[in-house]
Structures are given as structure tokens and as C-alpha cells.
Amino acid sequence: MSSYPIPDNEAERQAALDDQYILDTEPGEDFNRITRLASQMLGVPIALISLVDRQRQWFLSRVGLEPSETPRELAFCAHTICSDDVMVVSDATADDRFRDNPLVTGDPHIRFYAGVPLQTRSGFNVGTLCVISPQPRQLAGTEQQLLQDLAGMVTQYLESRRNSYLCPLTGLQNRRPFQEAGQRECQRARQNGDALTLLIFGLDDFPGFCARFGAPQGDRLLQEMAARLLNQVGESSLLGRVTADEFAVLRPGMDSTEGLALAEQMRAALALDGWLVEGVRHPLAISCGVASLGDDDSGFKDLFRRAEAALSQARLSGTTPA
């Protein structure tokens, strides 16, 4: 069996997939409905929405298949994403690319495969909608159009979901996806015995700022805050806008002492710069709460709750407590 092909734009394609914030999440009913329809309307036992990740294909939704993922080198879909066309394999045992594939020689004994790339609005193929049968067969013209139409519905749902998960003003994750990602990081830290620290920055009296300078200046301030935080924390951290005037930073591998030092450094730098309005620089009051994962935390929600409590205390006292 030949090695799987790599798209020329693999780095950008992977970034587009990561930007969906959907890997390892629970499938929604919209996606499950599509795989059921694909299986029933094309008369095949297996239908999958497959997202091609770095070293695996992960199934966002699946009908007729038990595993939630397979290695990328075994994935028919790894070939499908290299083109914008529908890929059809009528009989995998007669195809040099797949005849020795363990998914062909063993369970689920793939013979027929048809897959449509799932292309983002920016033009990257992040996965496929595919159907599979243990019996060789052809794909009729009407069936191909049906599969393409269903794939179009998948991409629409993906885009809609992504938009609902991101703050339209700052482009950061909203509270819900931030907490979902935080829970995964919390579980990973528990398994590996690593430190994990959460920082929540709050703009003090943000409503008063907007009342004084206007809503457009408030929007600019939020965008600038997001940009500054991104620039300071880098790609190793999770960053989200978790309320109207609060930003959360989750730092894997950072203990409480390091977290407190970083929080005060960032808070002081942001406050010192102030905010420029019509040539006049105005003070910018920012508070921060810090909490590190502890033995008493049952999950990320407990860690988040303690960081928010620390932020409330900081706003009252003008300090950065943990």
C-alpha cells in the first residue's frame, strides 16, 4: 500500500481545520441527520463525516462504523482531500492504492467508496462526506449530485457552528468553546501531571468607558485588547472573550507563581499604555484574576469559577489575587 498523499497547502489546510474548533467534540444532530440520510438514500451501510487531522481521520459523525477515528495512512479520505472532485472507488480490491489496506483486507472490508471534499469558505479541504459498502458498485449520476448536495449542507453547518463559536468582533473563542477546550486541557493536565493556570483579564467600568467615548471606541478597545493579549501569550495558550468585558488566557505548563507574575506584568503593561482618543491618552483600568488547577477542582468549571472569583476580588481591591 502506498503512503497517503499530502496536499500542497497542508499547513494552511490544517490551520483551517484547527480554526473550526470542532475536533474531538460531540456530534450535533444536524451532522448525524446527514450521515443517516446519506446511508439510507444511497443504500449503503456506512456513511461518515470525516475530518482529516495531522495523523488521523476523525469522524465527526458516523453511521455503521464503530471506531471514532483511524490512522491517516489508512484513510481513503486522505486521498479525497487532495482534489476538489468527488472520488469514487468502485472496487477497492482492484485499486492499487487500496488493495492492501487493512480496512479492505479486514473489517469493515471496504469495496465501494465515494467521498466529497468538505471545503471551507477560504478554499481548504478539511475533510469529506463519504459513503462505504462491502459490496463493489458504481455511483450513479443522480447519486453523485445527492452526495455533493449533502456535503454542501455539512460545510454550511460547519461554517454556522464556527461563527457561533467565535466572537465576531475579536475573532476569539466565545465562552462556551473556550470552556470546552479548557476542559480538554484540564483532562490532559490531570493525565500528564502538568500544571495549568487560568488568567482572566477584565476591563474595569467598560460600560462607563463606552458611555464617555462611544460604542465604536469601545469596540476598538476590545479588538486592541484581543490583539495585545494574542501578541503577549503566543500560540501556546488558549485565549477567549468570555464576557462582554473579560478575556481569559489558559496556560498549560504554568504554575500559580508564574501565573501571578505573568498576570501582573500583562495587566501593568496594558494599563500603562492607556487608550488614545482624539490625540489624548486616557488611563485604562484593568484587573486580573488568577487560578491554577488544584486537587479539589473536579474539572475546568471549578478552575474557571475560582479565577472569576479572584477577578471580582481584584476589581474591589485593585490587586491581582489568586
Side-chain angles (χ1 to χ4, degrees):
M1 182 181 66
S2 62
S3 179
Y4 64 87
I6 302 293
D8 293 337
N9 60 355
E10 176 61 14
E12 295 83 1
R13 189 203 69 81
Q14 182 67 52
L17 174 58
D18 292 339
D19 194 44
Q20 297 292 321
Y21 303 105
I22 199 168
L23 290 170
D24 299 310
T25 63
E26 291 296 322
E29 182 56 25
D30 288 336
F31 297 115
N32 289 337
R33 187 179 297 114
I34 290 175
T35 49
R36 289 197 300 267
L37 283 171
S39 172
Q40 295 167 7
M41 297 179 75
L42 276 75
V44 293
I46 299 173
L48 309 167
I49 296 175
S50 170
L51 300 178
V52 182
D53 197 10
R54 291 167 177 83
Q55 303 296 329
R56 60 172 178 161
Q57 66 168 347
W58 176 76
F59 304 128
L60 172 61
S61 178
R62 61 193 190 276
V63 168
L65 191 68
E66 186 62 28
S68 61
E69 63 181 60
T70 69
R72 185 166 171 175
E73 60 264 25
L74 303 183
F76 284 51
C77 299
H79 296 256
T80 305
I81 64 168
C82 293
S83 168
D84 295 338
D85 300 325
V86 179
M87 188 178 94
V88 179
V89 179
S90 298
D91 185 352
T93 62
D95 192 306
D96 292 339
R97 296 170 296 176
F98 306 115
R99 66 171 76 246
D100 298 323
N101 189 309
L103 301 178
V104 175
T105 59
D107 193 59
H109 300 284
I110 296 174
R111 295 298 180 267
F112 168 74
Y113 167 95
V116 180
L118 302 176
Q119 189 171 98
T120 66
R121 183 173 296 180
S122 53
F124 297 105
N125 295 335
V126 295
T128 75
L129 171 65
C130 66
V131 291
I132 293 170
S133 173
Q135 302 298 326
R137 58 165 288 185
Q138 301 292 327
L139 189 68
T142 55
E143 291 178 327
Q144 178 167 318
Q145 186 59 58
L146 171 63
L147 197 60
Q148 289 175 306
D149 289 344
L150 291 175
M153 293 173 63
V154 175
T155 57
Q156 286 180 349
Y157 288 142
L158 284 172
E159 183 68 20
S160 176
R161 181 188 180 281
R162 178 185 176 277
N163 289 341
S164 69
Y165 265 48
L166 295 179
C167 165
L169 188 65
T170 65
L172 301 180
Q173 294 185 45
N174 289 325
R175 187 183 183 101
R176 177 184 168 189
F178 182 85
Q179 290 192 328
E180 290 176 352
Q183 179 60 27
R184 293 192 292 272
E185 287 297 331
C186 190
Q187 293 172 345
R188 188 177 295 114
R190 292 279 197 214
Q191 292 170 357
N192 299 332
D194 295 335
L196 186 67
T197 295
L198 176 65
L199 298 76
I200 302 183
F201 294 89
L203 291 164
D204 296 342
D205 194 24
F206 182 64
F209 178 94
C210 293
R212 181 181 179 187
F213 299 113
Q217 286 289 346
D219 289 347
R220 284 187 54 228
L221 176 57
L222 292 171
Q223 291 171 328
E224 181 67 19
M225 272 286 294
R228 291 183 185 182
L229 289 172
L230 278 169
N231 184 58
Q232 293 196 43
V233 303
E235 296 182 355
S236 62
S237 302
L238 291 175
L239 182 59
R241 183 186 177 195
V242 293
T243 72
D245 58 3
E246 295 176 7
F247 296 85
V249 178
L250 187 64
R251 289 294 298 262
M254 177 171 283
D255 62 27
S256 57
T257 302
E258 294 171 322
L260 281 168
L262 176 64
E264 181 54 30
Q265 173 188 335
M266 293 174 64
R267 187 202 65 79
L270 290 165
L272 181 64
D273 288 343
W275 187 248
L276 193 65
V277 180
E278 296 180 353
V280 179
R281 192 167 295 277
H282 299 270
L284 188 61
I286 298 173
S287 298
C288 183
V290 182
S292 294
L293 186 63
D295 294 337
D296 293 336
D297 292 324
S298 61
F300 184 71
K301 287 185 177 180
D302 287 344
L303 177 63
F304 193 91
R305 191 179 301 114
R306 290 196 295 110
E308 283 197 314
L311 174 61
S312 297
Q313 182 182 345
R315 281 176 156 162
L316 291 174
S317 64
T319 62
T320 307

